[in-house]
PDB file of all heavy atoms in Angstrom:
ATOM      1  N   HIS Q1467       0.854  -1.160  -0.003  1.00  0.00           N
ATOM      2  CA  HIS Q1467      -0.004  -0.010   0.036  1.00  0.00           C
ATOM      3  C   HIS Q1467       0.881   1.266  -0.012  1.00  0.00           C
ATOM      4  O   HIS Q1467       2.041   1.198   0.388  1.00  0.00           O
ATOM      5  CB  HIS Q1467      -0.873   0.005   1.215  1.00  0.00           C
ATOM      6  CG  HIS Q1467      -1.773  -1.194   1.416  1.00  0.00           C
ATOM      7  ND1 HIS Q1467      -2.983  -1.328   0.712  1.00  0.00           N
ATOM      8  CD2 HIS Q1467      -1.592  -2.348   2.061  1.00  0.00           C
ATOM      9  CE1 HIS Q1467      -3.511  -2.464   0.987  1.00  0.00           C
ATOM     10  NE2 HIS Q1467      -2.672  -3.153   1.780  1.00  0.00           N
ATOM     11  N   GLY Q1468       0.249   2.329  -0.425  1.00  0.00           N
ATOM     12  CA  GLY Q1468       0.936   3.655  -0.315  1.00  0.00           C
ATOM     13  C   GLY Q1468       2.307   3.716  -0.899  1.00  0.00           C
ATOM     14  O   GLY Q1468       2.508   3.351  -2.076  1.00  0.00           O
ATOM     15  N   SER Q1469       3.248   4.142  -0.130  1.00  0.00           N
ATOM     16  CA  SER Q1469       4.642   4.325  -0.593  1.00  0.00           C
ATOM     17  C   SER Q1469       5.378   2.948  -0.713  1.00  0.00           C
ATOM     18  O   SER Q1469       6.463   2.895  -1.316  1.00  0.00           O
ATOM     19  CB  SER Q1469       5.415   5.206   0.388  1.00  0.00           C
ATOM     20  OG  SER Q1469       5.542   4.539   1.660  1.00  0.00           O
ATOM     21  N   GLY Q1470       4.790   1.884  -0.179  1.00  0.00           N
ATOM     22  CA  GLY Q1470       5.465   0.603  -0.186  1.00  0.00           C
ATOM     23  C   GLY Q1470       6.458   0.413   0.959  1.00  0.00           C
ATOM     24  O   GLY Q1470       7.089  -0.633   1.105  1.00  0.00           O
ATOM     25  N   GLY Q1471       6.577   1.463   1.810  1.00  0.00           N
ATOM     26  CA  GLY Q1471       7.489   1.395   2.949  1.00  0.00           C
ATOM     27  C   GLY Q1471       6.816   0.675   4.130  1.00  0.00           C
ATOM     28  O   GLY Q1471       5.627   0.464   4.207  1.00  0.00           O
ATOM     29  N   THR Q1472       7.698   0.364   5.098  1.00  0.00           N
ATOM     30  CA  THR Q1472       7.239  -0.309   6.264  1.00  0.00           C
ATOM     31  C   THR Q1472       7.146   0.567   7.568  1.00  0.00           C
ATOM     32  O   THR Q1472       6.856   0.073   8.545  1.00  0.00           O
ATOM     33  CB  THR Q1472       8.194  -1.507   6.644  1.00  0.00           C
ATOM     34  OG1 THR Q1472       9.494  -0.948   6.994  1.00  0.00           O
ATOM     35  CG2 THR Q1472       8.286  -2.471   5.467  1.00  0.00           C
ATOM     36  N   GLY Q1473       7.395   1.795   7.373  1.00  0.00           N
ATOM     37  CA  GLY Q1473       7.524   2.732   8.535  1.00  0.00           C
ATOM     38  C   GLY Q1473       6.175   3.290   8.977  1.00  0.00           C
ATOM     39  O   GLY Q1473       5.064   2.974   8.429  1.00  0.00           O
ATOM     40  N   ALA Q1474       6.269   4.147   9.997  1.00  0.00           N
ATOM     41  CA  ALA Q1474       5.063   4.680  10.673  1.00  0.00           C
ATOM     42  C   ALA Q1474       4.241   5.498   9.756  1.00  0.00           C
ATOM     43  O   ALA Q1474       3.003   5.484   9.869  1.00  0.00           O
ATOM     44  CB  ALA Q1474       5.490   5.491  11.872  1.00  0.00           C
ATOM     45  N   THR Q1475       4.809   6.258   8.831  1.00  0.00           N
ATOM     46  CA  THR Q1475       4.052   7.117   7.957  1.00  0.00           C
ATOM     47  C   THR Q1475       3.135   6.298   7.049  1.00  0.00           C
ATOM     48  O   THR Q1475       1.953   6.598   6.904  1.00  0.00           O
ATOM     49  CB  THR Q1475       4.983   8.023   7.135  1.00  0.00           C
ATOM     50  OG1 THR Q1475       5.766   8.849   7.985  1.00  0.00           O
ATOM     51  CG2 THR Q1475       4.142   8.915   6.212  1.00  0.00           C
ATOM     52  N   ASN Q1476       3.678   5.243   6.432  1.00  0.00           N
ATOM     53  CA  ASN Q1476       2.826   4.405   5.555  1.00  0.00           C
ATOM     54  C   ASN Q1476       1.817   3.645   6.391  1.00  0.00           C
ATOM     55  O   ASN Q1476       0.687   3.393   5.933  1.00  0.00           O
ATOM     56  CB  ASN Q1476       3.714   3.454   4.794  1.00  0.00           C
ATOM     57  CG  ASN Q1476       3.021   3.010   3.490  1.00  0.00           C
ATOM     58  OD1 ASN Q1476       2.189   3.729   2.905  1.00  0.00           O
ATOM     59  ND2 ASN Q1476       3.290   1.750   3.039  1.00  0.00           N
ATOM     60  N   MET Q1477       2.173   3.242   7.623  1.00  0.00           N
ATOM     61  CA  MET Q1477       1.186   2.612   8.486  1.00  0.00           C
ATOM     62  C   MET Q1477       0.089   3.613   8.855  1.00  0.00           C
ATOM     63  O   MET Q1477      -1.134   3.210   8.938  1.00  0.00           O
ATOM     64  CB  MET Q1477       1.901   2.122   9.743  1.00  0.00           C
ATOM     65  CG  MET Q1477       2.796   0.885   9.541  1.00  0.00           C
ATOM     66  SD  MET Q1477       1.899  -0.647   9.136  1.00  0.00           S
ATOM     67  CE  MET Q1477       1.322  -1.085  10.794  1.00  0.00           C
ATOM     68  N   LEU Q1478       0.399   4.857   9.050  1.00  0.00           N
ATOM     69  CA  LEU Q1478      -0.600   5.828   9.327  1.00  0.00           C
ATOM     70  C   LEU Q1478      -1.612   5.997   8.181  1.00  0.00           C
ATOM     71  O   LEU Q1478      -2.809   5.999   8.399  1.00  0.00           O
ATOM     72  CB  LEU Q1478       0.110   7.191   9.679  1.00  0.00           C
ATOM     73  CG  LEU Q1478      -0.884   8.381   9.904  1.00  0.00           C
ATOM     74  CD1 LEU Q1478      -1.618   8.220  11.111  1.00  0.00           C
ATOM     75  CD2 LEU Q1478      -0.023   9.659   9.981  1.00  0.00           C
ATOM     76  N   ARG Q1479      -1.030   6.080   6.989  1.00  0.00           N
ATOM     77  CA  ARG Q1479      -1.899   6.325   5.842  1.00  0.00           C
ATOM     78  C   ARG Q1479      -2.796   5.047   5.531  1.00  0.00           C
ATOM     79  O   ARG Q1479      -3.866   5.142   5.073  1.00  0.00           O
ATOM     80  CB  ARG Q1479      -1.108   6.657   4.611  1.00  0.00           C
ATOM     81  CG  ARG Q1479      -0.439   8.027   4.690  1.00  0.00           C
ATOM     82  CD  ARG Q1479       0.058   8.522   3.367  1.00  0.00           C
ATOM     83  NE  ARG Q1479       0.583   9.855   3.442  1.00  0.00           N
ATOM     84  CZ  ARG Q1479       1.835  10.222   3.415  1.00  0.00           C
ATOM     85  NH1 ARG Q1479       2.757   9.252   3.299  1.00  0.00           N
ATOM     86  NH2 ARG Q1479       2.194  11.502   3.516  1.00  0.00           N
ATOM     87  N   THR Q1480      -2.207   3.865   5.913  1.00  0.00           N
ATOM     88  CA  THR Q1480      -2.885   2.646   5.519  1.00  0.00           C
ATOM     89  C   THR Q1480      -3.763   2.075   6.661  1.00  0.00           C
ATOM     90  O   THR Q1480      -4.901   1.666   6.358  1.00  0.00           O
ATOM     91  CB  THR Q1480      -1.819   1.546   5.137  1.00  0.00           C
ATOM     92  OG1 THR Q1480      -0.928   2.095   4.146  1.00  0.00           O
ATOM     93  CG2 THR Q1480      -2.480   0.280   4.586  1.00  0.00           C
ATOM     94  N   PHE Q1481      -3.247   2.067   7.901  1.00  0.00           N
ATOM     95  CA  PHE Q1481      -3.964   1.428   8.976  1.00  0.00           C
ATOM     96  C   PHE Q1481      -4.274   2.393  10.163  1.00  0.00           C
ATOM     97  O   PHE Q1481      -4.694   1.868  11.213  1.00  0.00           O
ATOM     98  CB  PHE Q1481      -3.154   0.212   9.470  1.00  0.00           C
ATOM     99  CG  PHE Q1481      -2.915  -0.814   8.420  1.00  0.00           C
ATOM    100  CD1 PHE Q1481      -1.586  -1.067   7.964  1.00  0.00           C
ATOM    101  CD2 PHE Q1481      -3.929  -1.533   7.825  1.00  0.00           C
ATOM    102  CE1 PHE Q1481      -1.353  -2.013   7.021  1.00  0.00           C
ATOM    103  CE2 PHE Q1481      -3.725  -2.466   6.885  1.00  0.00           C
ATOM    104  CZ  PHE Q1481      -2.440  -2.747   6.456  1.00  0.00           C
ATOM    105  N   LYS Q1482      -4.028   3.664   9.932  1.00  0.00           N
ATOM    106  CA  LYS Q1482      -4.408   4.739  10.932  1.00  0.00           C
ATOM    107  C   LYS Q1482      -3.445   4.800  12.113  1.00  0.00           C
ATOM    108  O   LYS Q1482      -2.412   4.198  12.190  1.00  0.00           O
ATOM    109  CB  LYS Q1482      -5.843   4.536  11.398  1.00  0.00           C
ATOM    110  CG  LYS Q1482      -6.873   4.399  10.275  1.00  0.00           C
ATOM    111  CD  LYS Q1482      -6.693   5.536   9.261  1.00  0.00           C
ATOM    112  CE  LYS Q1482      -7.707   5.388   8.082  1.00  0.00           C
ATOM    113  NZ  LYS Q1482      -7.462   6.361   6.992  1.00  0.00           N
ATOM    114  N   LEU Q1483      -3.890   5.712  13.084  1.00  0.00           N
ATOM    115  CA  LEU Q1483      -2.940   6.235  14.079  1.00  0.00           C
ATOM    116  C   LEU Q1483      -2.366   5.221  15.031  1.00  0.00           C
ATOM    117  O   LEU Q1483      -1.125   5.177  15.293  1.00  0.00           O
ATOM    118  CB  LEU Q1483      -3.599   7.366  14.859  1.00  0.00           C
ATOM    119  CG  LEU Q1483      -2.719   8.089  15.898  1.00  0.00           C
ATOM    120  CD1 LEU Q1483      -1.546   8.709  15.239  1.00  0.00           C
ATOM    121  CD2 LEU Q1483      -3.559   9.094  16.623  1.00  0.00           C
ATOM    122  N   LYS Q1484      -3.214   4.349  15.584  1.00  0.00           N
ATOM    123  CA  LYS Q1484      -2.693   3.401  16.575  1.00  0.00           C
ATOM    124  C   LYS Q1484      -1.676   2.465  15.997  1.00  0.00           C
ATOM    125  O   LYS Q1484      -0.625   2.176  16.643  1.00  0.00           O
ATOM    126  CB  LYS Q1484      -3.825   2.577  17.174  1.00  0.00           C
ATOM    127  CG  LYS Q1484      -4.739   3.398  18.117  1.00  0.00           C
ATOM    128  CD  LYS Q1484      -5.878   2.510  18.712  1.00  0.00           C
ATOM    129  CE  LYS Q1484      -6.753   3.310  19.616  1.00  0.00           C
ATOM    130  NZ  LYS Q1484      -7.831   2.463  20.225  1.00  0.00           N
ATOM    131  N   ALA Q1485      -1.871   2.030  14.783  1.00  0.00           N
ATOM    132  CA  ALA Q1485      -0.914   1.127  14.141  1.00  0.00           C
ATOM    133  C   ALA Q1485       0.373   1.883  13.839  1.00  0.00           C
ATOM    134  O   ALA Q1485       1.463   1.328  14.002  1.00  0.00           O
ATOM    135  CB  ALA Q1485      -1.487   0.601  12.834  1.00  0.00           C
ATOM    136  N   ALA Q1486       0.253   3.171  13.469  1.00  0.00           N
ATOM    137  CA  ALA Q1486       1.455   3.979  13.160  1.00  0.00           C
ATOM    138  C   ALA Q1486       2.296   4.164  14.478  1.00  0.00           C
ATOM    139  O   ALA Q1486       3.500   4.065  14.446  1.00  0.00           O
ATOM    140  CB  ALA Q1486       1.016   5.327  12.600  1.00  0.00           C
ATOM    141  N   LEU Q1487       1.590   4.525  15.569  1.00  0.00           N
ATOM    142  CA  LEU Q1487       2.349   4.727  16.832  1.00  0.00           C
ATOM    143  C   LEU Q1487       3.023   3.459  17.263  1.00  0.00           C
ATOM    144  O   LEU Q1487       4.156   3.493  17.778  1.00  0.00           O
ATOM    145  CB  LEU Q1487       1.323   5.228  17.893  1.00  0.00           C
ATOM    146  CG  LEU Q1487       0.795   6.622  17.662  1.00  0.00           C
ATOM    147  CD1 LEU Q1487      -0.278   6.948  18.739  1.00  0.00           C
ATOM    148  CD2 LEU Q1487       1.883   7.706  17.655  1.00  0.00           C
ATOM    149  N   ALA Q1488       2.321   2.366  17.192  1.00  0.00           N
ATOM    150  CA  ALA Q1488       2.949   1.043  17.543  1.00  0.00           C
ATOM    151  C   ALA Q1488       4.171   0.698  16.650  1.00  0.00           C
ATOM    152  O   ALA Q1488       5.175   0.216  17.165  1.00  0.00           O
ATOM    153  CB  ALA Q1488       1.882  -0.042  17.451  1.00  0.00           C
ATOM    154  N   THR Q1489       4.059   1.016  15.398  1.00  0.00           N
ATOM    155  CA  THR Q1489       5.172   0.824  14.494  1.00  0.00           C
ATOM    156  C   THR Q1489       6.328   1.705  14.861  1.00  0.00           C
ATOM    157  O   THR Q1489       7.481   1.225  14.929  1.00  0.00           O
ATOM    158  CB  THR Q1489       4.727   1.088  13.072  1.00  0.00           C
ATOM    159  OG1 THR Q1489       3.713   0.161  12.708  1.00  0.00           O
ATOM    160  CG2 THR Q1489       5.889   0.842  12.072  1.00  0.00           C
ATOM    161  N   PHE Q1490       6.045   2.940  15.098  1.00  0.00           N
ATOM    162  CA  PHE Q1490       7.141   3.872  15.434  1.00  0.00           C
ATOM    163  C   PHE Q1490       7.806   3.428  16.739  1.00  0.00           C
ATOM    164  O   PHE Q1490       9.057   3.399  16.832  1.00  0.00           O
ATOM    165  CB  PHE Q1490       6.569   5.272  15.666  1.00  0.00           C
ATOM    166  CG  PHE Q1490       7.633   6.392  15.849  1.00  0.00           C
ATOM    167  CD1 PHE Q1490       8.074   7.125  14.752  1.00  0.00           C
ATOM    168  CD2 PHE Q1490       8.202   6.622  17.078  1.00  0.00           C
ATOM    169  CE1 PHE Q1490       9.084   8.086  14.970  1.00  0.00           C
ATOM    170  CE2 PHE Q1490       9.176   7.526  17.289  1.00  0.00           C
ATOM    171  CZ  PHE Q1490       9.602   8.252  16.210  1.00  0.00           C
ATOM    172  N   ALA Q1491       7.019   3.024  17.754  1.00  0.00           N
ATOM    173  CA  ALA Q1491       7.569   2.584  19.041  1.00  0.00           C
ATOM    174  C   ALA Q1491       8.442   1.325  18.810  1.00  0.00           C
ATOM    175  O   ALA Q1491       9.526   1.202  19.405  1.00  0.00           O
ATOM    176  CB  ALA Q1491       6.482   2.288  20.034  1.00  0.00           C
ATOM    177  N   GLY Q1492       7.941   0.374  18.071  1.00  0.00           N
ATOM    178  CA  GLY Q1492       8.712  -0.830  17.825  1.00  0.00           C
ATOM    179  C   GLY Q1492      10.027  -0.560  17.051  1.00  0.00           C
ATOM    180  O   GLY Q1492      11.075  -1.149  17.433  1.00  0.00           O
ATOM    181  N   ASP Q1493       9.981   0.289  16.087  1.00  0.00           N
ATOM    182  CA  ASP Q1493      11.196   0.574  15.297  1.00  0.00           C
ATOM    183  C   ASP Q1493      12.183   1.343  16.136  1.00  0.00           C
ATOM    184  O   ASP Q1493      13.441   1.110  16.071  1.00  0.00           O
ATOM    185  CB  ASP Q1493      10.904   1.362  14.006  1.00  0.00           C
ATOM    186  CG  ASP Q1493      10.174   0.487  12.938  1.00  0.00           C
ATOM    187  OD1 ASP Q1493      10.325  -0.763  13.081  1.00  0.00           O
ATOM    188  OD2 ASP Q1493       9.544   1.061  12.124  1.00  0.00           O
ATOM    189  N   ALA Q1494      11.712   2.292  16.972  1.00  0.00           N
ATOM    190  CA  ALA Q1494      12.572   3.006  17.832  1.00  0.00           C
ATOM    191  C   ALA Q1494      13.245   2.152  18.901  1.00  0.00           C
ATOM    192  O   ALA Q1494      14.417   2.242  19.229  1.00  0.00           O
ATOM    193  CB  ALA Q1494      11.858   4.223  18.509  1.00  0.00           C
ATOM    194  N   ALA Q1495      12.424   1.231  19.410  1.00  0.00           N
ATOM    195  CA  ALA Q1495      12.882   0.277  20.444  1.00  0.00           C
ATOM    196  C   ALA Q1495      13.973  -0.650  19.932  1.00  0.00           C
ATOM    197  O   ALA Q1495      14.998  -0.926  20.616  1.00  0.00           O
ATOM    198  CB  ALA Q1495      11.740  -0.504  21.075  1.00  0.00           C
ATOM    199  N   LYS Q1496      13.784  -1.157  18.654  1.00  0.00           N
ATOM    200  CA  LYS Q1496      14.828  -2.071  18.208  1.00  0.00           C
ATOM    201  C   LYS Q1496      16.165  -1.301  17.922  1.00  0.00           C
ATOM    202  O   LYS Q1496      17.223  -1.878  18.093  1.00  0.00           O
ATOM    203  CB  LYS Q1496      14.327  -2.741  16.917  1.00  0.00           C
ATOM    204  CG  LYS Q1496      14.299  -1.874  15.659  1.00  0.00           C
ATOM    205  CD  LYS Q1496      13.773  -2.641  14.483  1.00  0.00           C
ATOM    206  CE  LYS Q1496      13.766  -1.781  13.188  1.00  0.00           C
ATOM    207  NZ  LYS Q1496      13.144  -2.466  12.089  1.00  0.00           N
ATOM    208  N   ALA Q1497      16.062  -0.051  17.539  1.00  0.00           N
ATOM    209  CA  ALA Q1497      17.274   0.738  17.359  1.00  0.00           C
ATOM    210  C   ALA Q1497      17.910   1.016  18.731  1.00  0.00           C
ATOM    211  O   ALA Q1497      19.192   0.911  18.797  1.00  0.00           O
ATOM    212  CB  ALA Q1497      16.951   2.069  16.639  1.00  0.00           C
ATOM    213  N   ALA Q1498      17.152   1.353  19.658  1.00  0.00           N
ATOM    214  CA  ALA Q1498      17.709   1.570  21.045  1.00  0.00           C
ATOM    215  C   ALA Q1498      18.392   0.273  21.542  1.00  0.00           C
ATOM    216  O   ALA Q1498      19.501   0.378  22.092  1.00  0.00           O
ATOM    217  CB  ALA Q1498      16.663   2.007  22.021  1.00  0.00           C
ATOM    218  N   ALA Q1499      17.746  -0.842  21.368  1.00  0.00           N
ATOM    219  CA  ALA Q1499      18.356  -2.086  21.766  1.00  0.00           C
ATOM    220  C   ALA Q1499      19.655  -2.393  21.012  1.00  0.00           C
ATOM    221  O   ALA Q1499      20.668  -2.849  21.616  1.00  0.00           O
ATOM    222  CB  ALA Q1499      17.366  -3.244  21.523  1.00  0.00           C
ATOM    223  N   ALA Q1500      19.626  -2.110  19.696  1.00  0.00           N
ATOM    224  CA  ALA Q1500      20.852  -2.297  18.916  1.00  0.00           C
ATOM    225  C   ALA Q1500      21.987  -1.455  19.390  1.00  0.00           C
ATOM    226  O   ALA Q1500      23.136  -1.919  19.512  1.00  0.00           O
ATOM    227  CB  ALA Q1500      20.553  -2.035  17.433  1.00  0.00           C
ATOM    228  N   VAL Q1501      21.707  -0.193  19.690  1.00  0.00           N
ATOM    229  CA  VAL Q1501      22.768   0.715  20.152  1.00  0.00           C
ATOM    230  C   VAL Q1501      23.288   0.211  21.557  1.00  0.00           C
ATOM    231  O   VAL Q1501      24.486   0.234  21.809  1.00  0.00           O
ATOM    232  CB  VAL Q1501      22.268   2.133  20.241  1.00  0.00           C
ATOM    233  CG1 VAL Q1501      23.199   3.091  20.995  1.00  0.00           C
ATOM    234  CG2 VAL Q1501      22.046   2.691  18.845  1.00  0.00           C
ATOM    235  N   LEU Q1502      22.349  -0.148  22.445  1.00  0.00           N
ATOM    236  CA  LEU Q1502      22.830  -0.658  23.745  1.00  0.00           C
ATOM    237  C   LEU Q1502      23.713  -1.909  23.618  1.00  0.00           C
ATOM    238  O   LEU Q1502      24.699  -2.046  24.267  1.00  0.00           O
ATOM    239  CB  LEU Q1502      21.611  -0.950  24.609  1.00  0.00           C
ATOM    240  CG  LEU Q1502      20.847   0.243  25.121  1.00  0.00           C
ATOM    241  CD1 LEU Q1502      19.502  -0.162  25.782  1.00  0.00           C
ATOM    242  CD2 LEU Q1502      21.693   1.027  26.151  1.00  0.00           C
ATOM    243  N   LEU Q1503      23.319  -2.774  22.656  1.00  0.00           N
ATOM    244  CA  LEU Q1503      24.150  -3.956  22.456  1.00  0.00           C
ATOM    245  C   LEU Q1503      25.451  -3.606  21.846  1.00  0.00           C
ATOM    246  O   LEU Q1503      26.540  -4.122  22.240  1.00  0.00           O
ATOM    247  CB  LEU Q1503      23.324  -4.909  21.512  1.00  0.00           C
ATOM    248  CG  LEU Q1503      24.069  -6.240  21.160  1.00  0.00           C
ATOM    249  CD1 LEU Q1503      24.327  -7.018  22.432  1.00  0.00           C
ATOM    250  CD2 LEU Q1503      23.198  -7.050  20.188  1.00  0.00           C
ATOM    251  N   GLY Q1504      25.485  -2.629  20.917  1.00  0.00           N
ATOM    252  CA  GLY Q1504      26.752  -2.181  20.326  1.00  0.00           C
ATOM    253  C   GLY Q1504      27.682  -1.566  21.356  1.00  0.00           C
ATOM    254  O   GLY Q1504      28.854  -1.789  21.306  1.00  0.00           O
ATOM    255  N   ARG Q1505      27.111  -0.865  22.309  1.00  0.00           N
ATOM    256  CA  ARG Q1505      27.908  -0.260  23.353  1.00  0.00           C
ATOM    257  C   ARG Q1505      28.485  -1.361  24.278  1.00  0.00           C
ATOM    258  O   ARG Q1505      29.642  -1.262  24.725  1.00  0.00           O
ATOM    259  CB  ARG Q1505      27.066   0.753  24.211  1.00  0.00           C
ATOM    260  CG  ARG Q1505      26.824   1.991  23.418  1.00  0.00           C
ATOM    261  CD  ARG Q1505      25.913   3.000  24.194  1.00  0.00           C
ATOM    262  NE  ARG Q1505      26.561   3.497  25.434  1.00  0.00           N
ATOM    263  CZ  ARG Q1505      26.130   4.511  26.173  1.00  0.00           C
ATOM    264  NH1 ARG Q1505      25.035   5.116  25.742  1.00  0.00           N
ATOM    265  NH2 ARG Q1505      26.738   4.888  27.178  1.00  0.00           N
ATOM    266  N   ALA Q1506      27.712  -2.411  24.535  1.00  0.00           N
ATOM    267  CA  ALA Q1506      28.163  -3.460  25.363  1.00  0.00           C
ATOM    268  C   ALA Q1506      29.263  -4.237  24.647  1.00  0.00           C
ATOM    269  O   ALA Q1506      30.193  -4.688  25.337  1.00  0.00           O
ATOM    270  CB  ALA Q1506      26.987  -4.446  25.662  1.00  0.00           C
ATOM    271  N   ILE Q1507      29.225  -4.320  23.364  1.00  0.00           N
ATOM    272  CA  ILE Q1507      30.264  -5.058  22.650  1.00  0.00           C
ATOM    273  C   ILE Q1507      31.527  -4.181  22.412  1.00  0.00           C
ATOM    274  O   ILE Q1507      32.657  -4.713  22.576  1.00  0.00           O
ATOM    275  CB  ILE Q1507      29.704  -5.463  21.211  1.00  0.00           C
ATOM    276  CG1 ILE Q1507      28.613  -6.512  21.450  1.00  0.00           C
ATOM    277  CG2 ILE Q1507      30.807  -6.057  20.348  1.00  0.00           C
ATOM    278  CD1 ILE Q1507      27.836  -6.799  20.195  1.00  0.00           C
TER     279      ILE Q1507
END
């Protein structure tokens, strides 16, 4: 759908606000986890 992307903006346009917020939170959380892991390594 839409732009073909997997991010919060395309989720907002396709599946509305709650889905977009959940997507944003999940993507931000995985990045935070990756950085914390990188710092540990």
Side-chain angles (χ1 to χ4, degrees):
H1467 303 276
S1469 66
T1472 64
T1475 300
N1476 203 32
M1477 289 290 282
L1478 175 64
R1479 292 196 174 106
T1480 307
F1481 301 114
K1482 307 308 178 190
L1483 183 60
K1484 289 183 180 180
L1487 292 174
T1489 299
F1490 189 95
D1493 288 341
K1496 75 182 180 185
V1501 169
L1502 288 170
L1503 182 58
R1505 288 177 65 166
I1507 294 171

